[in-house]
Amino acid sequence: MTRAVAAVAAVLTGATVVAGCADDAEPGAEVTLLTHDSFTLPDSVFDTFRQETGLTLKVVKSGDAGQLASTVSLTPGSPKADAVFGIDNTFASRPIEAGALEPYQSPMAAGGAADYALPDSDNELTAVDRGDVCLNVDDDWYASRGEEPPTSLRDLRDPKYASQAALLDPGTSSPGLAFLLTTIGVFPQGWQDYWKTVTAGGATVVSGWEIAYNQLFSAGEAQGDKPIVLSYASSPAATPGTSALLDSCWRQVEYVGILKGTDNLTGARKLVDFMLSPTVQEALPSSMYVYPVQKGTPLPDGWVQRAPVPSWTVSLPPAYVAQNREAWLQEWRDAVGR
């Protein structure tokens, strides 16, 4: 998904903000949302939240989703905000096991979000959006050179394509971890060899999506020199002339949760409900290029044609991922020499 960082109202970037202590019924009280660097919604959404709740929403950004999950996990009971958005299903077990989240079942979740609830959890996290992490290809780049683009993640074992790819570190990036899990699902007995081959062939591995897509990808903002990038199945809706390799996808779900220890529990609950409202759900595709989870939410014109939902995605049980994630990350580092 094209997630260029945009200025939004009342965003505090890189600051440490203490959760609002005022009672949420007090005029002008604040709710602080901790999120990842790629979060962006229109100013009108923040205005609607204030009009409907009487609360002001402040946003604090904290790196990639993986870093966000670590930050939350390390501060149980002493939160840096009232709520958190952007922890996904690859990292969700960390803050849950750390006891850093307050259970809450939103009445709005019955509209679709409940379908994406984490198994064996106690409603510590509520689904907000769905994206599918896939390899993306700059079809125009290949067409302009009269070359054939790759058609599968298996093609990256060819050095020609490996050297053209910008991939993500699974230790620092949630889509990077999602693609690692994809390779484990596709090559259960040989995923380490896959990574050895791809990196030996010249693939570039960077820390986060913003660098890979906006700086290195040939169809990104900086028009880099890599015509293959790890992104989302929905990214082509924002980037004409590109497509996603739909055999390489992992379903990624992003969640909102209440941070345990917040002084504004009622306000945080109102924020969770608001994230499932039509106001937010309808804004997500155009703002963050993800699919909303609430049923019946209209999509922008042409989305279904340009960014089809994959008919098949790799899936591993969350408990299995949680049990093996750290070992897999170490095996990945060993395989790629990091």
Side-chain angles (χ1 to χ4, degrees), residues 74-247:
L74 292 171
T75 55
S78 301
K80 296 179 179 294
D82 301 302
V84 59
F85 167 76
I87 293 173
D88 71 1
N89 50 317
T90 62
F91 285 106
S93 63
R94 285 183 180 175
I96 291 176
E97 291 173 357
L101 299 167
E102 184 75 28
Y104 173 60
Q105 186 170 10
S106 171
M108 301 284 288
D115 295 346
Y116 298 90
L118 292 162
D120 303 319
S121 67
D122 189 25
N123 296 301
E124 293 95 342
L125 290 168
T126 301
V128 173
D129 65 67
R130 169 194 172 178
D132 296 287
V133 177
C134 314
L135 292 170
N136 278 213
V137 173
D138 184 352
D139 297 303
D140 286 351
W141 187 94
Y142 286 99
S144 68
R145 290 161 174 77
E147 299 178 12
E148 291 295 321
T151 60
S152 167
L153 82 165
R154 292 171 172 82
D155 292 341
L156 266 63
R157 292 177 294 194
D158 182 338
K160 170 187 174 181
Y161 293 121
S163 63
Q164 297 171 348
L167 305 179
L168 304 178
D169 187 328
T172 58
S173 164
S174 60
L177 179 57
F179 187 62
L180 172 61
L181 297 177
T182 295
T183 62
I184 291 170
V186 174
F187 309 107
Q189 304 303 319
W191 66 267
Q192 298 95 334
D193 290 336
Y194 175 84
W195 279 98
K196 288 178 182 177
T197 300
V198 170
T199 52
T204 298
V205 180
V206 295
S207 61
W209 180 90
E210 293 283 349
I211 297 172
Y213 200 94
N214 289 327
Q215 297 182 28
L216 301 182
F217 188 37
S218 55
E221 292 178 357
Q223 296 183 335
D225 61 358
K226 302 292 184 181
I228 304 169
V229 69
L230 184 64
S231 192
Y232 297 83
S234 52
S235 296
T239 311
T242 68
S243 62
L245 302 185
L246 299 183
D247 77 329

Side-chain angles (χ1 to χ4, degrees), residues 17 32-36 60-88 91-102 124-125 255-262:
V17 177
T32 303
L33 177 67
L34 187 68
T35 186
H36 51 57
V60 176
K61 296 184 177 183
S62 182
D64 190 87
Q67 181 180 341
L68 180 67
S70 296
T71 298
V72 170
S73 301
L74 292 171
T75 55
S78 301
K80 296 179 179 294
D82 301 302
V84 59
F85 167 76
I87 293 173
D88 71 1
F91 285 106
S93 63
R94 285 183 180 175
I96 291 176
E97 291 173 357
L101 299 167
E102 184 75 28
E124 293 95 342
L125 290 168
Y255 296 87
V256 64
I258 299 171
L259 295 173
K260 183 161 289 186
T262 172

Side-chain angles (χ1 to χ4, degrees), residues 251-290:
R251 179 182 294 183
Q252 183 187 56
V253 180
E254 289 189 307
Y255 296 87
V256 64
I258 299 171
L259 295 173
K260 183 161 289 186
T262 172
D263 293 320
N264 196 354
L265 180 60
T266 302
R269 287 175 173 173
K270 290 181 178 180
L271 176 57
V272 172
D273 295 342
F274 183 69
M275 295 296 285
L276 301 182
S277 70
T279 298
V280 173
Q281 292 287 298
E282 291 178 15
L284 287 170
S286 297
S287 299
M288 297 175 63
Y289 290 90
V290 290

